[in-house]
Each structure stands twice: as C-alpha cells, then as structure tokens.
Amino acid sequence: MNIEKAEVLVSSPGRNFVTLRITTDDGLTGLGDATLNGRELAVAAYLTEHVVPLLLGRDAHRIEDTWQYLYRGAYWRRGPVTMAAIAAVDTALWDIKAKAAGLPLYQLLGGKSREGLMVYGHASGLDIPELFDSIREHLEEGYRAVRVQTGIPGLPSVYGVAHSKNAAAGSASGSDARYDYEPARRNAIPVEESWDTRAYLRHVPAVFEAVRNEFGPELPLLHDAHHRLTPIQAAKLGKSLEPYDLFWLEDVTPAENQAALRRVREHTTTPLAIGEVFNTVWDYRELFEEQLIDYVRSPITHAGGITALRRILDYAAIYQIKSGMHGPTDVSPVGLAAGIHLGIAIQNFGMQEYMMHSPATLEVFRTTFSFENGMLAPSEAPGLGIEYDDEAAAGYAYASAYLPVNRLLDGSMHDW
Ligand code: CS2
Ligand code: MG
C-alpha cells in the first residue's frame, strides 16, 4: 500500500484551513489537519515543497518510520510549522491504516476506555448579565462545563469575549459569529488590542464569585489567561480563584520558561493547564517531571500528530497529568476528530475543548462524530470518519487573517 498522491488543500470555509490528503495506490485516502492559525501558508509550503516529494512511493503502513524520517531527517527539528506538517502526515496515515483495517481509528489505539469525552464550551460576556446569558445558552445546548471569560472595566475589548452579539451576528466571515473575539480581518494587518494586567487581576475573582453564586458549586468552570501574566501575577490569580474551584486555569504565563510554573505552583492549588502553543514533548519535560501542571493542552494538529501526542500523554500519565486537548475552531474538524479518537482510547483523558465549527466549515468537512449530553464520541465509520468535500471547498478561497496583537496602555507590545 504505497502513497501515490499527497495533496495540500487550502480552503477558507469561515476561516482558513490547511488539510493534507494522502491517497494510496489501492485507492484509500487519509486526511490530516495542518492548520496553523495566521501562518497557514507557511505550513502549506513546507508540505508542498519539502514533504510531499518525500512521501510519494513510501509504504503508507509505515507510520512510525515516516514520522521519524520527517522529524530526524529534516535536521531542523521542532517548531510549529514543522510539527504541524508532520502532524498532518501522521494523522492521514492513521486514517488510512484504520480504513484499511475497516475499523474506526480508536480501535487501533487500544479501543474505548470511556463512552464519550467530556467537553467545555466558551461562555463569554462583556459584563456579568451577558456572561450569565452565554452560560445559560451553553447549558441549553448540552454543555456540562464552560470556560468563562469577561470584559474588563476600562478595556475596550478583551481576549475571549465576543465584541457584541449584534456585531457578531453580522461578522464579515458570516460564521464563527459567537466567537468573533479573535477579530481576524481578512487581507489586513492584525487588529491591535490593549491590555492592563492589574485591572484584569482586580476584576476576575469577582466574576467567578458571581458565577458560582448563580450557577452553584457543581458546574466545572475553566479560565484562560492567554499567556499574559508574570509568574507572581499568575500565582496571585490562582490563589484568588481557589474559592471558586476551577477545573483548570490555562496558559497563565508564556511558558517558554518552564520554570515559571514552579513559582506559580508554589503558591496555588488551582489546577493548571498549558501547552496549546507547544509542539513537542520537550516543551513539557520539566513540567511533567516536577508535576507543575495538571492538563496538557496540545492538540494532535500542533504536537506532531497522533503518534507524538500519544507519547506525550503516556509520559504525562506517569505523573497523573491528563489530556486537555485544544479544540478552538482553528483546529479543523479533521484535527478535532483525531483528538476524539485518541481521547476515547487513552486512560488519562481529562477534558476536551469544543467550540463547534461553523455551518460553512461543516459543509467542507463532513463529520460523523456526535455531541450528546455534553460528550463528544467518534462514530463507527472506518478511519477518522471525516470526508473532505472538494466542490464545497472550491467556493471558499483563502484570504489572509491574523490574530490580534496586544499592547499595554503605554503602547508597548505585550504577549497575545
Ligand atoms: C484559545 C484559542 O481555545 C483557546 O484556548 O487560546 O482561542 C487560541 O487563541 C487560538 O486557537 C489561536 O489560534
Ligand atoms: Mg487557550
């Protein structure tokens, strides 16, 4: 079963996606997600110029060897572009292997360890009443856990908060409307936002107090600090949120410096999640061995594929650290489906992020997984259970779109 064709598919149904489709000489196809938000074409070029020519004629069954060939063989290891490209190849090959076996992918990963994956959605509001409405809407949709983000008094816009319901409904892309808090204008330079950490730290505990008073003690609540704090600020936030019993507090510091988490951990028992921008096990080594975090945020798409994330999570399991796979709408349905298959199979599953893709995205990526009672579950279709509709994709041409950048009130650049 040799690889005959590998196509790099770039489309923009609501937002930009890069998908790799591998076809074997016996006619099986496999899909892999290679989407790197705001840097999509770098991965597309990496695949087209440097990976596809190496794949043609290779045995599609040799997943491990292909992974090692692309990782070790490149000489230039790691990095988000390289690892997203490797992830796409790896995922597509797993999809093919499972189709060849006539089994849903999770069966090849050891079979089911659970019936479904507990997920959380993104509730947000500019103020508390709007936030409460958003939490209620999520509960009505079946979510049994929510991430909570709110506006900060004095800041015109804040990460994680849709600008306004009306603006969102009329958003230019016509999709992902409720989640337009990462305002990516098409064919334009990034939006600039401003940030004030002290105002944020003053406001957030009161928000969680209000949410607990309204929704009670049981609902799992999460929060994302989006890499914006220093270690001591992060420690203070974790400590101040302890009474509200968060499921996790995410990305408190920019964790290139893994040791920063040591400071945070010394001061708080709020569970910590990190890693959506990590790309290999090396980004986690200190965090695992010193037990500085509780959840691994890497998705398959950005961590080198199913092969690599499985290894990362097995390593995490030794330390009772669990999965918390990234699942925003820029992880394509292919990347999400791969995560569902892995999540259902591993022992140390924690929580899956699930924002729901837009109708336009789902027109191109035909999914078969289900979302019921707050849980995601794979279908019994062989492979990943995703089909890519070329005809639908042709109607959605790529147009550049960037995440915002973030400046402090004095105008200096800050972490996004
Ligand atoms: C976020 C993402 O889902 C999350 O936790 O941090 O929305 C993130 O900002 C984007 O996926 C970046 O592409
Ligand atoms: Mg995040």
Side-chain angles (χ1 to χ4, degrees):
M1 192 173 65
N2 291 336
I3 298 174
E4 198 172 76
K5 197 161 66 171
E7 301 156 277
V8 180
L9 311 165
V10 179
S11 65
S12 194
R15 60 184 313 153
N16 293 318
F17 294 107
V18 179
T19 309
L20 180 71
R21 180 169 55 204
I22 294 180
T23 306
T24 65
D25 52 9
D26 43 10
L28 288 176
T29 59
L31 297 173
D33 179 22
T35 308
L36 193 59
N37 196 8
R39 296 292 184 272
E40 296 88 357
L41 298 186
V43 190
Y46 189 102
L47 281 167
T48 306
E49 303 297 330
H50 306 297
V51 174
V52 169
L54 307 180
L55 294 178
L56 302 179
R58 290 181 70 83
D59 180 354
H61 272 309
R62 296 182 64 176
I63 298 178
E64 177 66 28
D65 183 62
T66 303
W67 195 96
Q68 301 294 345
Y69 180 70
L70 295 174
Y71 181 81
R72 293 174 198 277
Y75 186 57
W76 310 106
R77 296 184 187 186
R78 310 168 66 187
V81 174
T82 300
M83 299 312 289
I86 295 177
V89 174
D90 183 80
T91 306
L93 293 181
W94 276 107
D95 191 13
I96 287 172
K97 193 185 277 294
K99 283 179 180 170
L103 293 170
L105 175 61
Y106 72 82
Q107 294 290 14
L108 272 55
L109 302 174
K112 276 190 192 178
S113 285
R114 59 188 51 73
E115 293 310 317
L117 306 188
M118 175 79 158
V119 305
Y120 71 93
H122 287 203
S124 75
L126 283 175
D127 52 24
I128 298 215
E130 226 180 84
L131 172 65
F132 284 5
D133 287 349
S134 172
I135 295 176
R136 281 192 199 99
E137 281 162 24
H138 279 81
L139 298 177
E140 277 158 26
E141 283 174 339
Y143 282 101
R144 283 157 52 189
V146 285
R147 190 184 87 161
V148 168
Q149 309 289 138
T150 56
I152 309 296
L155 296 181
S157 63
V158 174
Y159 162 79
V161 183
H163 287 203
S164 90
K165 281 185 183 157
N166 294 339
S171 81
S173 66
S175 59
D176 297 330
R178 55 197 269 199
Y179 305 119
D180 81 333
Y181 57 74
E182 287 173 353
R185 283 189 302 233
R186 296 299 178 118
N187 298 311
I189 60 170
V191 170
E192 304 229 339
E193 294 188 342
S194 46
W195 180 249
D196 177 354
T197 305
R198 292 189 68 234
Y200 166 79
L201 291 176
R202 279 196 304 274
H203 188 62
V204 173
V207 171
F208 276 87
E209 186 183 14
V211 172
R212 275 289 174 230
N213 287 340
E214 181 71 13
F215 294 93
E218 275 179 41
L219 181 66
L221 299 176
L222 303 88
H223 181 70
D224 191 346
H226 229 251
H227 326 270
R228 294 181 178 196
L229 311 177
T230 64
I232 208 67
Q233 289 168 337
K236 184 175 175 178
L237 178 65
K239 206 168 171 179
S240 65
L241 293 177
E242 276 170 23
Y244 315 113
D245 187 28
L246 266 61
F247 189 90
W248 79 45
L249 176 60
E250 172 180 345
D251 281 348
V252 281
T253 58
E256 289 100 321
N257 175 17
Q258 298 186 26
L261 273 295
R262 220 180 279 148
R263 283 290 89 74
V264 183
R265 198 65 148 179
E266 274 164 7
H267 295 282
T268 181
T269 56
T270 294
L272 302 173
I274 209 155
E276 67 182 48
V277 301
F278 291 179
N279 45 74
T280 70
V281 68
W282 298 101
D283 298 317
Y284 286 106
R285 195 176 60 89
E286 240 175 284
L287 303 182
F288 288 174
E289 289 180 0
E290 295 189 34
Q291 307 187 61
L292 303 180
I293 60 167
D294 301 280
Y295 296 95
V296 169
R297 290 286 287 142
S298 286
I300 282 167
T301 308
H302 301 135
I306 294 165
T307 299
L309 188 58
R310 172 82 199 231
R311 262 185 210 126
I312 292 172
L313 291 173
D314 283 346
Y315 182 19
I318 297 170
Y319 302 101
Q320 293 173 289
I321 296 168
K322 297 184 177 192
S323 73
M325 285 180 230
H326 197 206
T329 53
D330 51 283
V331 167
S332 88
V334 173
L336 177 66
I340 297 173
H341 283 279
L342 183 59
I344 207 110
I346 56 174
Q347 183 273 333
N348 56 331
F349 170 80
M351 177 79 92
Q352 169 71 49
E353 181 180 18
Y354 180 47
M355 290 175 70
M356 292 187 186
H357 289 98
S358 70
T361 301
L362 296 173
E363 210 188 303
V364 172
F365 297 91
R366 309 254 179 218
T367 63
T368 57
F369 54 76
S370 62
F371 177 57
E372 274 164 37
N373 302 321
M375 312 260 254
L376 277 172
S379 75
E380 291 301 304
L384 285 171
I386 306 282
E387 292 295 330
Y388 187 87
D389 186 330
D390 290 280
E391 227 171 273
Y396 296 105
Y398 169 85
S400 70
Y402 294 105
L403 289 167
V405 296
N406 204 18
R407 291 187 186 274
L408 297 180
L409 298 180
D410 70 358
S412 56
M413 282 292 291
H414 192 57
D415 305 292
W416 163 259

